Amino acid sequence: MTATERAVELAVVAARAASNLKAEEIIALDVSEQLVLTDVFLIASGTNERQVAAIVDAIEEAMYKAGAKPIRREGKSEGRWVLLDFGEVVVHVQHAEDRVYYALERLWKDCPVVPLPADVTAPASEPTAS
């Protein structure tokens, strides 16, 4: 069994919202074979607590517009690791330091990566000197 089309669609919506606020290392993992509760984990990083909070706000707004409401939200007040549960998709927005420490990708390494559009995964281009 693989992630549903809707779960992948919502993961892309959340990934784009995170990318628009300069989230780093955005990755989506198909956890449908391992978990009954959700299909996709989306993981993204922010460089500080304020950025983590802004990324979370942007994801919630984009997901709401896509018709998905959070079932649960944890960790927003600390701004270090925020979990947003949208049912089919669970979003983890972590402070970069916490992401290295907890290494969710390593824990879920047996799960296939969900391809995300190039505009989400491409590193931000450096401004050119004039």
Side-chain angles (χ1 to χ4, degrees):
M1 185 160 175
T2 59
T4 66
E5 194 173 308
R6 176 70 174 155
V8 172
E9 175 187 317
L10 289 174
V12 169
V13 167
R16 277 208 170 102
S19 178
N20 288 342
L21 285 175
K22 310 268 189 265
E24 299 174 348
E25 299 182 63
I26 302 168
I27 187 170
L29 301 173
D30 182 341
V31 296
S32 61
E33 292 285 326
Q34 308 293 328
L35 296 174
V36 179
L37 302 172
T38 193
D39 284 351
V40 177
F41 274 179
L42 181 77
I43 308 167
S45 300
T47 56
N48 58 55
E49 289 84 356
R50 189 175 300 187
Q51 185 187 21
V52 168
I55 292 167
V56 167
D57 289 344
I59 290 170
E60 285 184 318
E61 182 179 334
M63 294 292 270
Y64 181 80
K65 287 178 181 174
K69 295 179 185 172
I71 296 167
R72 184 175 67 221
R73 178 194 323 140
E74 295 179 18
K76 188 169 182 197
S77 61
E78 293 84 15
R80 300 290 299 183
W81 180 352
V82 181
L83 180 141
L84 300 170
D85 183 352
F86 292 96
E88 297 166 283
V89 177
V90 173
V91 179
H92 300 268
V93 182
Q94 296 178 297
H95 189 288
E97 293 170 358
D98 291 354
R99 177 136 180 207
V100 170
Y101 182 79
Y102 290 104
L104 291 180
E105 295 93 332
R106 190 188 63 207
L107 292 174
W108 298 98
K109 69 179 184 262
D110 295 334
C111 297
V113 173
V114 174
L116 295 172
D119 64 315
V120 171
T121 57
S125 59
E126 294 293 320
T128 54
S130 312

